[in-house]
């Protein structure tokens, strides 16, 4: 049982009424029963129930984070598709998600949507036992996002054109294998995926100017919701294989 906590006082974990209800009424935990409390910022504690609070027993070592930082820039898809992107990419280990407004993005989401995505990320991080909850930034114009990137590896997924496959590029990082980077140094990757109608030529040019390398995710055209999940899966596999 893992719960994300917001308040801690010395060795005491303060539980919200909803968490008390979940632990005491739904799961029927008793005093002394153990659960894990996480703060979403890297710390996990083995805890036991004491009244309506948790008492910390020990700090746990968590090894579920990737050795690279991955920022995903996703052109907002239609409907609730972004919910799936946030959920799946959190499970896969993303560090930061930037919803981008591109030339062919149809929507400008409400502040409630941003709250919803952050909630989904927190729940998915808890479910997949992540040490950190990924940051979901406010939606931003594509041009602002690409020009602000400082990551040392920058990729933009492009469905058309004869670009190298992402796995080829990841396995050949300026002569180094990503396996050598893993465990040694923290690397930063940023990867952008486009909207239903794809990127415009102008956007691809702008990205190339900002040192983003266009990459392919294979011969098939993936949906705007599928592409970021595939990109994350390939990076995760390259890190962990
Ligand atoms: N009609 C669009 C086009 O021709 O570009 C298809 C866009 S696709 C539905 C949405 C986004 O997913 C693309 O902009 C791209 O970023 C990514 N994508 C989909 N399939 C891809 C592939 N095979 N390789 C690289 N990126 C892909």
């Amino acid at each position: 049982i893992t719960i994300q906590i917001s308040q801690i006082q010395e060795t005491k974990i303060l539980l919200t009424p909803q968490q008390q209800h979940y632990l005491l009424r739904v799961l029927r935990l008793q005093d002394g029963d153990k659960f894990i409390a996480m703060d979403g910022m890297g710390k996990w504690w083995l805890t036991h129930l004491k009244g309506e609070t948790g008492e910390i027993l020990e700090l746990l070592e968590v090894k579920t984070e990737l050795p690279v930082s991955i920022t995903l820039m996703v052109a907002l898809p239609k409907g609730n598709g972004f919910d799936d992107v946030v959920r799946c990419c959190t499970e896969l280990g993303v560090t930061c998600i930037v919803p981008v407004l591109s030339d062919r993005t149809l929507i400008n989401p409400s502040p409630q949507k941003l709250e919803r995505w952050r909630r989904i990320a927190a729940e998915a991080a808890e479910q997949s036992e992540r040490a950190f909850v990924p940051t979901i930034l406010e939606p931003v114009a594509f041009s602002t996002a690409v020009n602000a990137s400082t990551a040392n590896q920058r990729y933009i997924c492009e469905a058309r054109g004869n670009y190298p496959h992402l796995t080829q590029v990841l396995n050949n990082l300026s002569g180094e294998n990503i396996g050598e980077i893993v465990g040694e140094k923290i690397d930063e990757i940023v990867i952008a995926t486009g909207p239903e109608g794809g990127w415009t030529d102008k956007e691809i040019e702008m990205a190339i100017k900002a040192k983003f390398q266009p990459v392919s995710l294979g011969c098939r055209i993936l949906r705007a919701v599928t592409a970021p999940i595939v990109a994350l899966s390939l990076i995760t596999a390259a890190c962990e294989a």
Side-chain angles (χ1 to χ4, degrees):
I1 305 160
T2 309
I3 60 155
Q4 195 180 334
I5 52 118
S6 48
Q7 274 201 67
I8 179 163
Q9 276 177 1
E10 294 179 1
T11 61
K12 205 187 265 183
I13 303 276
L14 303 188
L15 301 170
T16 62
Q18 290 88 336
Q19 288 170 334
Q20 288 173 17
H21 175 79
Y22 177 64
L23 295 176
L24 296 162
R25 308 265 169 272
V26 180
L27 298 179
R28 296 182 174 278
L29 295 197
Q30 314 260 329
D31 265 11
D33 284 347
K34 291 180 182 151
F35 63 96
I36 289 169
M38 59 180 278
D39 68 356
M41 291 181 291
K43 290 221 171 82
W44 282 54
W45 298 274
L46 180 65
T47 307
H48 70 186
L49 193 68
K50 196 167 176 193
E52 291 178 343
T53 61
E55 189 76 19
I56 291 176
L57 299 172
E58 63 176 295
L59 183 66
L60 299 172
E61 198 187 347
V62 187
K63 292 186 180 157
T64 48
E65 292 302 315
L66 294 172
V68 292
S69 151
I70 307 170
T71 294
L72 186 63
M73 290 181 185
V74 189
L76 279 165
K78 284 189 295 213
N80 285 335
F82 203 70
D83 291 7
D84 291 333
V85 173
V86 171
R87 186 177 300 109
C88 297
C89 292
T90 298
E91 289 174 31
L92 288 162
V94 75
T95 313
C96 175
I97 301 180
V98 190
V100 296
L101 305 171
S102 69
D103 288 347
R104 295 188 181 136
T105 302
L106 303 171
I107 39 159
N108 194 350
S110 63
Q112 287 84 348
K113 281 260 179 177
L114 181 61
E115 280 317 302
R116 177 180 164 79
W117 297 330
R118 287 179 173 157
R119 230 178 17 250
I120 290 172
E123 284 166 11
E126 195 175 310
Q127 189 277 327
S128 53
E129 306 194 352
R130 295 272 313 265
F132 291 91
V133 176
T135 308
I136 316 289
L137 298 184
E138 289 193 19
V140 62
F142 174 78
S143 54
T144 310
V146 288
N147 289 316
S149 178
T150 54
N152 53 337
Q153 299 171 57
R154 303 175 205 173
Y155 305 110
I156 182 162
C157 298
E158 171 57 36
R160 316 253 166 205
N162 198 14
Y163 296 114
H165 196 277
L166 175 63
T167 51
Q168 283 177 313
V169 183
L170 286 173
N171 286 328
N172 184 19
L173 296 163
S174 48
E176 287 180 280
N177 184 299
I178 195 161
E180 291 164 25
I181 290 169
V182 170
E184 299 286 307
K185 319 162 206 164
I186 290 286
D187 227 313
E188 279 181 44
I189 296 176
V190 61
I191 187 154
T193 61
E196 279 83 359
W199 301 115
T200 59
D201 291 346
K202 199 177 100 211
E203 286 169 330
I204 292 290
E205 275 168 33
M206 192 187 290
I208 292 173
K209 251 194 198 149
K211 302 209 170 2
F212 279 68
Q213 175 171 1
V215 287
S216 164
L217 297 173
C219 309
R220 291 152 297 280
I221 306 293
L222 305 169
R223 285 174 55 229
V225 171
T226 313
I229 300 169
V230 169
L232 242 291
S233 307
L234 294 173
I235 299 172
T236 303
C239 291
E240 294 185 333

